Amino acid sequence: MTASFTAGPSDPTVQPVPASVVQQVDAADTTLHNPKRAVISLGSNLGNRLETLQGAIDALEDTPGVRIKAVSPVYETEPWGVEPGSQPSYFNAVVVLKTTLPPSSLLERAHAVEEAFNRVRDERWGPRTLDVDIVAYAEVVSDDPVLTLPHPRAHERAFVLAPWHDVEPEAQLPGRGAVAALLDTVARDGVAPRKDLELRLPE
């Protein structure tokens, strides 16, 4: 469950979910034993981008040992590391989940979800139907070349930090500090919220 509800000025009856209620719901989730928290970044710039991101979220939720706890707003982002206008723009989002899978197994599942959406790895910075990147896993800091944790470039990417900050304003990137502080240090040019679009938290 996520306490992401905000009270709108035109509807004073909508109130935030108290933290104590969120904790009770999480504690009652007996489908996972001793889960770890992980943050995953999603991106797509080919095909039906919104549908692909939702499909990835649903596929992650369908994974044994994984429960999606929060889904960020959608951001539209200019492609990273390529000539402007040479690729379609990305839709990006971040999900926060709890999992009993170790990092290596979560990575395998992330790759399997990418492959299910026909991800092709022909070139670095090339267009892709789907990116599924593990941004952080619990408090793990590792320089393992197979899976570096946290993601080695997350701290400099507004398209990761901005949606993550939206769902977890107090979040910390292990080894790097507060996401809010990191977000203040990066340029947000070409990274825009799409308030007309929405991704669903799996039921």
Side-chain angles (χ1 to χ4, degrees):
M1 182 170 180
T2 175
S4 60
F5 301 102
T6 56
S10 62
D11 188 358
T13 64
V14 178
Q15 297 295 323
V17 178
S20 59
V21 173
V22 175
Q23 291 170 359
Q24 290 172 9
V25 172
D26 286 345
D29 186 354
T30 57
T31 60
L32 298 179
H33 179 68
N34 193 29
K36 304 297 184 184
R37 178 181 157 280
V39 179
I40 287 183
S41 174
L42 304 174
S44 172
N45 78 331
L46 292 177
N48 188 324
R49 298 166 293 174
L50 188 67
E51 184 176 283
T52 295
L53 294 189
Q54 186 64 58
I57 292 167
D58 295 341
L60 288 169
E61 174 69 13
D62 286 343
T63 304
V66 171
R67 290 293 177 268
I68 304 292
K69 293 297 182 178
V71 177
S72 80
V74 178
Y75 279 73
E76 187 162 14
T77 306
E78 290 301 313
W80 175 277
V82 300
E83 287 294 323
S86 64
Q87 292 183 22
S89 61
Y90 276 85
F91 283 175
N92 291 103
V94 162
V95 297
V96 179
L97 55 83
K98 289 189 176 181
T99 182
T100 55
L101 299 179
S104 59
S105 296
L106 188 59
L107 179 64
E108 289 177 3
R109 180 56 175 164
H111 287 167
V113 172
E114 288 179 338
E115 290 170 8
F117 285 88
N118 302 310
R119 163 68 185 270
V120 176
R121 298 177 182 273
D122 284 342
E123 58 178 306
R124 192 181 190 193
W125 313 127
R128 65 275 322 256
T129 54
L130 180 63
D131 255 342
V132 182
D133 288 330
I134 301 175
V135 176
Y137 182 99
E139 301 303 317
V140 175
V141 176
S142 168
D143 59 2
D144 184 333
V146 176
L147 177 57
T148 302
L149 290 169
H151 190 286
R153 291 174 294 279
H155 66 284
E156 59 190 26
R157 291 180 168 178
F159 63 82
V160 172
L161 298 172
W164 186 5
H165 180 262
D166 285 342
V167 290
E168 289 193 316
E170 305 300 321
Q172 299 278 326
L173 182 63
R176 294 286 183 177
V179 169
L182 293 170
L183 187 56
D184 286 340
T185 69
V186 299
R188 301 199 203 187
D189 297 342
V191 179
R194 286 292 304 267
K195 296 183 179 180
D196 56 319
L197 304 177
E198 184 177 7
L199 294 166
R200 303 183 311 275
L201 186 68
E203 297 179 358

